[in-house]
Amino acid sequence: QLQASGGGLVQAGDSLTLSCTASGRIFGQYAWFRQAPGKEREFVAASSWRGDRKDYAESVKGRFTIGRSNRDNTLYLRMNSLEREDTAVYYCAATSIPLTRRAQSYSNWGQGTQVTVSS
């Protein structure tokens, strides 16, 4: 089970960290997706559970960091230099398929958390 949190309203250039608490079965890979109004859900970032393999969408590379806290099995997405185009509902997801960007490959999803970036 996945539980996402941490969204909010921020200004362009600000930073925000999203969290996703994982409980129950542990999967091999976790990812963040986002969906803006009127658009399809898109891949943002993914990481193996061990953290040794990570993947980022080009639009967020260098600004976003995906990771996991060993202390409490919380996944996070650190977002720096936020832009208006980052406004979306963000979802965390889990799969046993390594390094996939396909939303259809993810069988477990948390509820979304809204991120709104104002200019």
Side-chain angles (χ1 to χ4, degrees):
Q1 189 172 2
L2 303 174
Q3 186 90 12
S5 62
L9 172 63
V10 296
Q11 292 188 333
D14 284 352
S15 298
L16 195 64
T17 299
L18 305 182
S19 298
C20 179
T21 302
S23 60
R25 175 185 171 185
I26 299 299
F27 289 82
Q29 174 164 305
Y30 292 79
W32 288 93
F33 288 79
R34 66 186 182 187
Q35 188 166 19
K39 294 187 177 181
E40 293 187 354
R41 190 169 299 190
E42 66 171 351
F43 170 80
V44 175
S47 174
S48 61
W49 177 249
R50 295 190 304 174
D52 56 339
R53 294 174 297 179
K54 298 182 179 181
D55 185 25
Y56 295 92
E58 285 300 316
S59 60
V60 306
K61 195 172 292 185
R63 299 188 298 123
F64 290 11
T65 302
I66 187 172
R68 179 175 68 87
S69 168
N70 292 326
R71 183 178 59 185
D72 56 6
N73 287 343
T74 297
L75 308 165
Y76 63 83
L77 183 70
R78 175 67 176 175
M79 305 183 293
N80 294 327
S81 302
L82 283 162
E83 305 169 352
R84 286 190 63 184
E85 293 72 23
D86 296 317
T87 295
V89 178
Y90 284 71
Y91 299 89
C92 57
T95 181
S96 58
I97 301 173
L99 282 183
T100 177
R101 294 186 172 194
R102 298 177 68 248
Q104 299 91 326
S105 298
Y106 288 80
S107 55
N108 285 59
W109 292 82
Q111 88 291 358
T113 184
Q114 176 72 47
V115 173
T116 303
V117 184
S118 64
S119 58

